[in-house]
Amino acid sequence: MIFPCILSGGVGSRLWPLSRTDRPKQFLPLFGGESLFQKTCKRVNHPDFAAPIVIGSNAHRFLIGEQLSELGLEAQSILLEPVGRNTAPPALMAALIAAETDPNALILLLPSDHLIRKEDVFLKAVQQAEEAARAGKIVTFGIQPSEANTGYGYIKVASGSEPVRPVEAFVEKPDQERAEAFLKDGGYVWNAGIFLYAATTMIDAFKQHQPDLYKQIVDVMKTRHGDLDFTRLDQETFEALDNISIDYAIMEKASNVVCAPVAPEWDDLGSWSAIWTVLDKDAQGNSGLGDARFLDSENCLAYAERGLVSVIGLEDVMVIATTDSVLVAHKDKAQDVKTVVEQLKAEGRHEVDRHPRSYRPWGYTERINAGERFSVQSMMIKPSKRLSLQSHLHRAEHWVVVSGTLEITINGETRLLSENQSAYVPLGAQHTLHNPGKIPVRMIEVQSGTYLQEDDIRRHSDTSQTP
């Protein structure tokens, strides 16, 4: 059995302002209402694969759960990393988890932020590589380059026509001249960071090439403990791990690495210009997401999260409008978005980290407006879900039900609210919300007071383990 391990810990800062620390690019529903994470999960929802092992950030745990639920899929394990430690630790952790279930397990290590349009071609390559992986090889999947791209690392592959061939060298991201030489040579492929290996092979590789890191990761895995649908790790023990990629830790040292060249129409969508290349376009080369209009414009991208965006008389321009930020840039400057994000982060701007919508195990909240002494947000509570019993020292709240039936408890008194009904929660009152119905509750919450941050919560009981 092949165990897919889906890595979902990246940030994707070059896709700001839509991609943020708390909702990075792999979770953005840009592709027919689905995210790259969801597309990756569906790709391995196949009889040849076991249920996926998902390794992701603790900060994204509810997003992971929500997006799996939308697909009707269940993960074998959702392992939460307290902090990012690159790809080497997850590669071994996945092997250790799979080996507990099946000593002969194969691991397919997959980044969650890649777009693969010819999935049948990719799955055939995995099938052809299975024999090599069972024979003790570590298989890396190299993408046949379509251009002299300087944004990817390269792999030099031995000549031949076999579906799996020896690796002659790993090459860092080249300059333009070297990338063009690689393309002309024909023996180089892009390093996609996708691997197939036997659990025992990866365990042995760590023992040989990274013995100290192997022992540290084994110790980390001993700290596993359940929390709702997730598996947590001890933060202090995990933070002590080296921040190192699987390429540096194992691939460049091991002698049993082979490559499966494949051309599945693959994209590592790391910038808005890359997003534009894969979207449908009008006759003038314009792509619009949301309510976007173009007039006398060519080869532009417009994204409207809410409201209308109009682009007039422009060429090769990107306009990305979210509810609280707008990016306007030339497509040639797509890589510089990361520089803007770094500047905003240095200024302490919340727009870098926090998306207006925040997911919880019971649903989500979404900021509408805020000012001095007030904040307004919408809320969605899933059927049968309940918030924890809590109170606030510095704010009062007013609730208005938009749709559904809401059960509220304020200072021990419980009653039902239906559409257009409201309730007031005085400062200091103990309160909770519950959706007893079959459809989601949608409501508006208005907060008022001297301090409106999330840490103004006194929790009296905790059924959901979140505010």
Side-chain angles (χ1 to χ4, degrees):
M1 182 67 73
I2 298 178
F3 289 72
C5 177
I6 300 172
L7 306 182
S8 64
V11 174
S13 59
R14 287 173 295 177
L15 289 179
W16 183 85
L18 196 57
S19 179
R20 307 196 185 185
T21 303
D22 64 0
R23 195 176 74 159
K25 71 170 183 175
Q26 63 268 30
F27 299 112
L28 304 178
L30 294 176
F31 307 96
E34 291 183 339
S35 69
L36 292 172
F37 172 77
Q38 289 175 312
K39 285 187 171 295
T40 304
C41 292
K42 287 176 66 176
R43 191 173 304 136
V44 292
N45 183 30
H46 188 278
D48 291 343
F49 298 100
I53 300 166
V54 179
I55 300 180
S57 168
N58 174 60
H60 306 148
R61 61 194 184 279
F62 300 133
L63 266 173
I64 293 170
E66 179 74 16
Q67 295 206 349
L68 283 170
S69 177
E70 288 176 0
L71 297 177
L73 299 178
E74 289 189 12
Q76 179 182 163
S77 174
I78 302 176
L79 187 63
L80 302 178
E81 295 180 306
V83 294
R85 284 296 178 263
N86 219 306
T87 54
L92 178 57
M93 290 190 296
L96 294 171
I97 291 172
E100 293 172 348
T101 303
D102 179 3
N104 300 313
L106 296 183
I107 310 297
L108 181 62
L109 197 69
L110 293 164
S112 63
D113 56 355
H114 293 175
L115 180 66
I116 295 178
R117 291 187 289 281
K118 291 185 176 179
E119 296 194 340
D120 57 334
V121 173
F122 173 73
L123 293 175
K124 182 179 179 180
V126 173
Q127 184 182 45
Q128 291 175 330
E130 187 173 344
E131 182 179 352
R134 294 201 182 280
K137 303 294 186 182
I138 301 175
V139 184
T140 178
F141 292 85
I143 306 300
Q144 297 281 9
S146 57
E147 60 181 356
N149 197 303
T150 61
Y152 305 135
Y154 284 71
I155 304 170
K156 183 170 176 52
V157 184
S159 60
S161 58
E162 299 86 357
V164 178
R165 307 202 293 272
V167 169
E168 295 186 354
F170 286 90
V171 185
E172 295 288 338
K173 296 177 182 178
D175 58 24
Q176 189 63 39
E177 184 178 354
R178 290 191 75 201
E180 291 174 357
F182 291 164
L183 187 65
K184 184 177 180 180
D185 180 280
Y188 292 82
V189 292
W190 291 334
N191 186 352
I194 303 172
F195 305 96
L196 180 69
Y197 52 84
T200 52
T201 300
M202 188 58 69
I203 291 169
D204 290 342
F206 268 83
K207 287 180 178 178
Q208 178 181 352
H209 302 292
Q210 298 288 340
D212 292 340
L213 183 57
Y214 170 78
K215 293 176 183 177
Q216 288 178 308
I217 292 173
V218 169
D219 288 341
V220 165
M221 295 298 280
K222 291 177 182 177
T223 71
R224 281 180 290 172
H225 56 281
D227 178 11
L228 298 177
D229 296 328
F230 312 109
T231 301
R232 291 186 180 274
L233 301 167
D234 178 72
Q235 181 166 340
E236 184 176 352
T237 309
F238 192 86
E239 285 179 341
L241 299 179
D242 290 339
N243 186 5
I244 185 171
S245 72
I246 188 64
D247 291 300
Y248 286 132
I250 301 296
M251 300 302 160
E252 295 182 5
K253 296 179 172 63
S255 60
N256 59 335
V257 179
V258 295
C259 182
V262 62
E265 294 191 7
W266 169 94
D267 286 283
D268 178 12
L269 300 174
S271 68
W272 282 113
S273 59
I275 295 288
W276 172 81
T277 63
V278 302
L279 293 176
D280 293 335
K281 301 172 182 62
D282 64 18
Q284 289 72 45
N286 300 306
S287 293
L289 292 169
D291 196 358
R293 299 289 185 274
F294 300 94
L295 178 63
D296 296 330
S297 298
E298 295 182 359
N299 301 322
C300 291
L301 169 65
Y303 172 85
E305 187 171 47
R306 185 179 296 168
L308 169 66
V309 171
S310 296
V311 179
I312 303 173
L314 298 177
E315 295 183 13
D316 298 315
V317 167
M318 310 177 300
V319 181
I320 314 300
T322 69
T323 56
D324 63 352
S325 301
V326 177
L327 168 72
V328 180
H330 194 279
K331 290 215 303 281
D332 289 348
K333 297 295 183 179
Q335 301 298 326
D336 293 340
V337 174
K338 187 174 182 179
T339 303
V340 173
V341 170
E342 290 170 352
Q343 293 173 350
L344 294 172
K345 188 174 293 186
E347 297 170 11
R349 296 294 298 257
H350 71 82
E351 293 91 344
V352 173
D353 297 317
R354 299 201 305 273
H355 190 273
R357 179 173 290 190
S358 179
Y359 285 89
R360 302 286 196 268
W362 43 261
Y364 63 77
T365 64
E366 185 165 2
R367 293 193 308 273
I368 297 174
N369 199 1
E372 187 177 356
R373 294 181 61 89
F374 81 91
S375 177
V376 183
Q377 64 180 5
S378 64
M379 298 173 62
M380 187 277 285
I381 305 174
K382 299 176 185 177
S384 78
K385 295 298 183 179
R386 181 187 300 273
L387 280 69
S388 61
L389 182 66
Q390 57 192 255
S391 62
H392 310 291
L393 293 175
H394 302 287
R395 72 174 186 252
E397 296 176 341
H398 194 100
W399 301 326
V400 180
V401 176
V402 176
S403 63
T405 299
L406 179 67
E407 180 185 83
I408 66 169
T409 301
I410 303 174
N411 283 336
E413 181 183 342
T414 299
R415 59 192 175 100
L416 294 177
L417 298 181
S418 58
E419 294 181 13
N420 297 319
Q421 292 185 320
S422 64
Y424 172 69
V425 185
L427 184 149
Q430 293 188 20
H431 59 277
T432 186
L433 302 170
H434 172 226
N435 179 358
K438 302 293 185 182
I439 63 173
V441 167
R442 301 185 185 277
M443 56 179 286
I444 302 296
E445 179 181 79
V446 180
Q447 303 173 353
S448 60
T450 57
Y451 183 81
L452 303 175
Q453 301 303 313
E454 285 297 311
D455 57 355
D456 178 25
I457 291 179
R458 295 180 63 188
R459 200 159 298 156
H460 304 280
S461 68
D462 194 3
T463 57
S464 64
Q465 299 190 16
T466 188

